[in-house]
Amino acid sequence: MLLSIDWDAYSGCAEHVFDAPIWGTPDREHDRVQAWRERANKRGGGWEALQADFPLYPGWQALAQYAGRPAFVTLSHAAAEGWLRLYPGRTVLNIDSHHDLYSQSGDPLRWRPGNWAGLGLASGLIGSYTVRYPIWHEGLLVAEGHDLGRTEGEIVASLNSELLPRLRLERGPQLPPVPQVEALLLVQSPSWSSPAHDPAFFELARTLGAAPLGAPPVRRAEGARPILKGV
């Protein structure tokens, strides 16, 4: 299988944080950087002021077990097409805070963070697809992974019915055994993940030996080292 890891499955938010991007946000440069500055300023400090409302949930350290498997890192799931073309037709497990099957706005045929999985299924680049929401969604009423039945109903009403037998929704902390993982994609998703957690993200990418796919991550928090020289 292919394993996709969206950092927003770990860099999340607490309950009742009404300016959290999990409520819905575009993927623009403003949303990747300036919107986070505005959230930090609202809380009276720098990135460290975000920690209470935007925690880094546990479990991400276990991803280090995949060091030695082919790994790639990218800014956004918009680059997932290039990864999938390296391994076409595989089963994909996506650990994510969003299903990424379709977007309600924008060009539905352009690969974007919100629709890459649906386009991969429709094109045959993905054989079957599972999104595994993080366990912290269980306690967050607004999260997609809080009520799987509700989310499934939304997908059934919006997605091509021919694709439905090839996808699955679940929630949990489990990671697949290392021998089952053919390759990984680590996605920063800076519009949805706190800058305070960038050092951990970059450290994980280095541990995995992840090669940049397309544009490498460009946002870094204070103290973070780049993945590549000159980045």
Side-chain angles (χ1 to χ4, degrees):
M1 74 166 63
L2 300 181
L3 177 60
S4 164
I5 306 290
D6 196 313
W7 192 233
D8 72 9
Y10 299 98
S11 179
C13 65
E15 182 66 288
H16 305 308
V17 179
F18 298 109
D19 60 347
I22 198 170
W23 286 78
T25 187
D27 182 40
R28 305 168 301 189
E29 185 60 30
H30 175 276
D31 303 293
R32 296 172 178 177
V33 181
Q34 184 58 32
W36 285 104
R37 290 197 183 105
E38 293 166 0
R39 294 182 184 108
N41 289 337
K42 178 181 177 182
R43 289 160 175 81
W47 298 147
E48 72 283 352
L50 297 168
Q51 296 284 29
D53 286 346
F54 301 95
L56 182 60
Y57 286 95
W60 63 271
Q61 299 92 336
L63 296 169
Q65 67 185 291
Y66 300 110
R69 312 302 290 173
F72 303 85
V73 62
T74 190
L75 181 76
S76 159
H77 263 128
E81 181 182 9
W83 178 59
L84 294 173
R85 289 194 180 279
L86 295 174
Y87 308 94
R90 307 301 204 270
T91 293
V92 173
L93 171 60
N94 183 35
I95 297 177
D96 203 324
S97 279
H98 308 93
H99 57 65
D100 294 351
L101 289 165
Y102 57 85
S103 296
Q104 300 287 7
S105 61
D107 182 354
L109 299 181
R110 182 170 64 86
W111 288 71
R112 293 178 290 141
N115 69 354
W116 70 273
L119 291 179
L121 283 168
S123 66
L125 287 175
I126 296 176
S128 62
Y129 176 74
T130 296
V131 57
R132 183 171 296 163
Y133 294 108
I135 195 68
W136 57 268
H137 277 215
E138 188 173 27
L140 197 67
L141 294 178
V142 300
E144 276 186 18
H146 174 77
D147 185 338
L148 297 183
R150 177 191 66 194
T151 302
E152 181 179 352
E154 294 170 353
I155 291 171
V156 168
S158 302
L159 197 67
N160 185 332
S161 61
E162 295 180 359
L163 303 181
L164 298 177
R166 295 162 53 201
L167 66 89
R168 175 183 174 87
L169 306 182
E170 55 192 37
R171 183 181 62 239
Q174 304 90 348
L175 294 173
V178 174
Q180 293 183 12
V181 175
E182 185 175 3
L184 295 85
L185 180 64
L186 179 64
V187 180
Q188 187 187 24
S189 291
S191 292
W192 298 276
S193 62
S194 169
H197 306 147
D198 281 358
F201 176 84
F202 291 133
E203 189 62 43
L204 176 60
R206 285 192 296 273
T207 297
L208 294 174
L213 183 65
V218 295
R219 184 189 65 167
R220 65 186 75 148
E222 183 179 355
R225 291 177 292 158
I227 294 172
L228 295 178
K229 292 181 179 179
V231 175

